[in-house]
Amino acid sequence: MTDLVTTSPHFPYKALHVEHDGPVLRVRLNPAAQDATLGVAALDDLADLLHRLHDRPDIRVLLLSGDGDDFCLGADRGEYQAALAEDPTGAAMRRIADKAYRVCDALENTHAVTIARLHGRVVGAGLALASFCDLRAGADTCRFRMPEIGIGLPPAWGGAMGRLIVEGGAARIRELMLTCEAFDAATAHRIGLLHKVAPLDRLDATVAAWVRPLVRRSPEALTLTKRMFAGHSRAARTADVALLDAHLLTAQLSQSRPQRVTDPS
């Protein structure tokens, strides 16, 4: 990070910390370093930030990371329960889930090259969000988990199932989703969910080694290549049912008894 890095007045958020460093936008989740869940406030901020990028072709790289001990511990299930209690029809809950889909779709399709810098625990919605980034680097101490089935929920967040299958392979993602088994950075790298693994004190240098050449590339070539990859990825997800995620998640939560929302492992 250079002396040119400044907190950007163009991206003023409470649930994100955003710094502008020339062609690089550094976005950190959980700026208070207290609650590493991904709540509605963060989704709203991410959606607004990604929308604003349409008017910022000068931003070539978006670096997504997290403050605190963990990158992200998943969605805020307390908000799910509150939404259902306030609106038993499920409409409020579906709006929350739709926000997740819109954020992930925008992250996949923004013109900027997106890089996820992962550390600590990367759980559920946190892994889903990272999977939509173009490049992912993780500390060798990272721990990953997809716990949804273990807490009585379908893996329906942001349309990530299709993306995870394309990135990590159907067989391994099926196993990890069904068993809710925790896995380490080496496993994530082996199956393609991480492109690079580094010791935590070398993680920023690993990310910087990507950023330096990226900002020198032709913006048009980068954007075109990103769009080509997105097209091929979506072609591999021809049976993608991402738009059903909000309905599936809401239906399951509405039917579940309160004790099923406790992770048994």
Side-chain angles (χ1 to χ4, degrees), residues 19 26 68 123 128-129 158 168 195 197 215 223 241:
E19 295 173 331
R26 304 174 190 273
V123 179
L129 185 70
H195 297 96
V197 177
V215 298
T223 300
V241 292

Side-chain angles (χ1 to χ4, degrees), residues 179-202:
T179 64
C180 306
E181 176 186 351
F183 56 103
D184 59 14
T187 300
H189 182 256
R190 187 167 62 250
I191 67 176
L193 295 183
L194 284 179
H195 297 96
K196 296 283 188 181
V197 177
L200 182 58
D201 62 358
R202 294 291 301 161

Side-chain angles (χ1 to χ4, degrees), residues 52-76:
R52 292 184 187 220
L53 284 188
H54 289 301
D55 299 321
R56 296 299 303 269
D58 57 305
I59 293 173
R60 310 270 292 279
V61 175
L62 187 156
L63 175 58
L64 182 65
S65 62
D67 282 336
D69 295 330
D70 303 294
F71 173 73
C72 181
L73 298 180
D76 187 338

Side-chain angles (χ1 to χ4, degrees), residues 75-185:
D76 187 338
R77 297 196 301 276
E79 288 185 344
Y80 291 175
Q81 296 296 339
L84 284 171
E86 179 182 344
D87 180 3
T89 69
M93 177 60 223
R94 286 192 294 274
R95 284 195 295 273
I96 294 174
D98 279 336
K99 290 175 191 288
Y101 170 78
R102 290 197 299 273
V103 165
C104 291
D105 183 68
L107 192 61
E108 183 178 23
N109 289 291
T110 183
H111 69 275
V113 175
T114 53
I115 299 174
R117 176 201 181 277
L118 307 178
H119 74 288
R121 289 173 291 176
V122 185
V123 179
L127 177 56
L129 185 70
S131 76
F132 281 94
C133 289
D134 299 309
L135 298 171
R136 297 174 293 274
D140 56 7
T141 51
C142 275
R143 296 291 288 177
F144 300 85
R145 191 160 177 254
M146 292 179 270
E148 289 82 3
I149 291 177
I151 55 177
L153 297 176
W157 192 94
M161 178 181 274
R163 175 77 177 192
L164 286 164
I165 287 171
V166 169
E167 296 289 292
R172 285 298 275 143
I173 295 301
R174 183 187 302 116
E175 178 193 9
L176 294 168
M177 281 187 172
L178 290 176
T179 64
C180 306
E181 176 186 351
F183 56 103
D184 59 14

Side-chain angles (χ1 to χ4, degrees), residues 227-246:
R227 298 280 160 77
M228 292 170 69
F229 268 108
H232 284 293
S233 176
R234 288 180 179 275
R237 288 142 52 189
T238 53
D240 196 352
V241 292
L243 290 174
L244 295 179
D245 277 5

